[in-house]
Structure formats: structure tokens, C-alpha cells
Amino acid sequence: MLSLAVALAALAAPVSTEIVLPSQPAPLHGTLLTPPGASAVAVILPGSGPTDRDGNSPMGVAAGTYRLLAEGLADQGIATLRIDKRGIAASAAAGFDETRLRFTDLADDARAWAAEAASRSRKPCAWLIGHSEGALVALKAVAGGDDPESSKVCGLVLLSGAGRPAGVVLREQLTALPDPLKTQAYDALSELEAGRTVAEPPAALAALFRPSVQPYLISWLPLDPAMLLAAYDGPVFIGQGTTDIQVGVIDAQALAAADPDATLKLWDGVNHVLKTAPADRAGNLATYADPDLPLAPGVTQDVAAFIRTNAAR
């Protein structure tokens, strides 16, 4: 009897499959996690920086947010494809020279992953779950809709995503800088927003404004998440924690205002990596390095309920 129970449990366990997506200059990589009888499939789009398919980064983030989200959604009967974005982890060889990368490259990859996830799961379309900057990638991926792969997107789940242009958010984050550095930073942002490179950015801000990354910033800064969302007519879920120290409730409200039909969920006491966290910075950041801390109650359940409800329509 014990061996039968073990066999049945194995049959019911989600199947994890390494996925290789053809691309130039090298393939992209991800993990498809498929529970038995999956009702839908979603692609999890990572946030900014060197963030991998599990939601971790060498810049001090080891929360495992995307792995935990994928496992939680599998328990709710939803398959997920979580990815190493271009230039990161197993997809490192697919990275462009920094001077060549544009925001549209990330959106193109998102559409390609959606088509791949739908095909692998034998579904008509795949959901895009964008976290942090990944939310803007998801919005850009469905903009226009003239690419055949756009039809492979069922709808959007935007988690901890900015609702205002990046320049507005960056100015808020840089407001604590002392003058004249703050003025120099604001001036550099204004130049980049106007589509002009900055020949000699402040040395203290070289990591943000280095010349090699400026073409990418010029492609990113003009994007307005609320305007992109207003132009999209598919189903949308907006999820935001109230103790997020990177993106605020004001951003979720801006997104919701742009799409009155969207589902908005504000999770009390939940931070940017979707875990229960205090508002104080030290305690909040401590959760970024704790992969054993589960996602906050309600996060996975709310996302799964939204996808299931809309997938059935």
C-alpha cells in the first residue's frame, strides 16, 4: 500500500522541464513547471538587473520569489514557464553587447516565450506575469498587437510594477542625493528622456548613467505604463504590497485608473519580493535574502483565482 501511495504522489507531482528557445546570438533558457491537468499556462517575466528564473540576483537577492510563485501556482493547477532573461544565468550567451540592447528586445522575447509556453502546454495562449520591471516588459509586449505572437498572450498579471514613467520614479529615488549631484542626475535624466546621450555623466552615478547603457535608457525612459495599459483591451490583474519600498501603492492605483476593468489587489504588509515584511528598511530588506520564507498569504491564491476565472471564459 505504501508503494502505491508513493506512486500516486509521484504521478500527481508537477513535471519540471528545461526549455530551450531558439534565439540569436544563442538560445534562451527557462523552466516549465506543469501540474497534472493544468488549466492554464503563464510566463513569469523577471524584474530589472541580473535577475534569474528563480527571482535571485548576485546583487544580494536570494528570495526565490519566482520559484515559489511557480510552485504555488502549480498547486493551484496552473503551469508556469519561468525564464533566465537574455544575458542572464543560463541565457548569458544570448546577451547583446550592452550598447545594442533595447527595451523592445525584452518585449520581443516575452512574446516569443508566450508562444512557446502555449505550444508546449497545448493551450491557445499564455498569460504574462510581469514582476517589477517585468510588468513594463509585459505591457510593452502587448503594445500594438501587429506581431502574430501577440495573439498568444491571454492577459496580464502585473506584480509590483511601476505605474508611472521610469524617470518619475528615478527622480523620487534620487531625491535624497546632495546638491549639486542631484541636479546633475536630474539633468542627465532630462537629456536621456529627450533622446540625447550624456557625454560626461557624474562619476558618482556612473553605474546608472554609463555611456554604454544610455541607448537602453533612452529606449526605456519614455515608456508610460499607464498609457500602455490604457491601450490594452485584455484581462489585467494588478497586485501590489503596502510595504514595498521600491514601488508604491500610488503606482498600482495609477495602473488601475488607466484600466477601470482591471482587478486590483493591495496586499497589506507585503513587500517588493511578495513576502510579509515590516515597513522599516532593514527588516524589509532582510526578506530579500531568505529563500525559506514563503510568499505572503493570498498572493499566489489571488493570482491563480484571477487566471482560472478568466481562462474559463
Side-chain angles (χ1 to χ4, degrees):
M1 292 295 290
L2 180 59
S3 60
L4 176 59
V6 172
L8 290 173
L11 287 173
V15 175
S16 181
T17 307
E18 177 73 14
I19 303 297
V20 179
L21 181 67
S23 178
Q24 292 296 330
L28 301 170
H29 294 261
T31 299
L32 179 65
L33 188 64
T34 308
S39 60
V41 64
V43 177
I44 301 175
L45 302 175
S48 62
T51 305
D52 67 18
R53 72 185 77 180
D54 288 341
N56 299 327
S57 163
M59 298 177 70
V61 180
T65 295
Y66 307 152
R67 174 185 58 80
L68 293 169
L69 180 60
E71 292 170 354
L73 290 175
D75 290 341
Q76 300 280 328
I78 296 170
T80 56
L81 177 54
R82 62 190 196 272
I83 65 171
D84 290 332
K85 62 184 177 181
R86 187 175 294 276
I88 304 302
S91 299
F96 296 140
D97 178 272
E98 188 172 64
T99 60
R100 291 181 52 210
L101 183 66
R102 302 293 184 271
F103 199 87
T104 50
D105 295 320
L106 305 181
D108 291 344
D109 289 344
R111 285 194 299 273
W113 277 119
E116 183 73 9
S119 175
R120 294 268 185 167
S121 303
R122 299 183 180 180
K123 303 294 182 186
C125 56
W127 295 82
L128 292 181
I129 301 177
H131 174 252
S132 192
E133 188 182 65
L136 183 58
V137 174
L139 286 165
K140 183 62 176 174
V142 297
D146 53 351
D147 188 319
E149 289 177 337
S150 295
S151 65
K152 296 299 183 180
V153 177
C154 308
L156 307 178
V157 174
L158 310 177
L159 305 177
S160 308
R164 299 163 293 161
V168 175
V169 178
L170 283 173
R171 284 181 175 84
E172 286 184 356
Q173 294 174 347
L174 296 171
T175 191
L177 290 175
D179 279 324
L181 189 59
K182 181 172 71 173
T183 299
Q184 293 172 333
Y186 284 11
D187 289 346
L189 280 172
S190 296
E191 287 295 292
L192 293 167
E193 287 168 333
R196 296 185 293 266
T197 57
V198 180
E200 296 182 5
L205 298 173
L208 177 59
F209 296 123
R210 62 191 180 277
S212 59
V213 81
Q214 288 184 29
Y216 174 80
L217 295 176
I218 288 171
S219 74
W220 170 52
L221 288 169
L223 298 176
D224 186 330
M227 288 183 64
L228 290 171
L229 182 51
Y232 179 63
D233 61 2
V236 176
F237 177 94
I238 302 164
Q240 176 64 46
T242 63
T243 55
D244 188 332
I245 58 175
Q246 293 181 244
V247 176
V249 171
I250 188 175
D251 290 284
Q253 292 171 335
L255 290 172
D259 182 2
D261 293 327
T263 297
L264 171 64
K265 289 287 185 179
L266 299 179
W267 294 305
D268 190 42
V270 175
N271 71 354
H272 194 68
V273 292
L274 306 179
K275 301 193 177 188
T276 301
D280 75 274
R281 187 174 183 83
N284 198 298
L285 290 176
T287 69
Y288 283 54
D290 188 353
D292 296 323
L293 184 67
L295 296 188
V299 169
T300 302
Q301 294 83 353
D302 288 342
V303 171
F306 173 82
I307 291 176
R308 282 198 308 267
T309 297
N310 286 277
R313 292 177 178 174

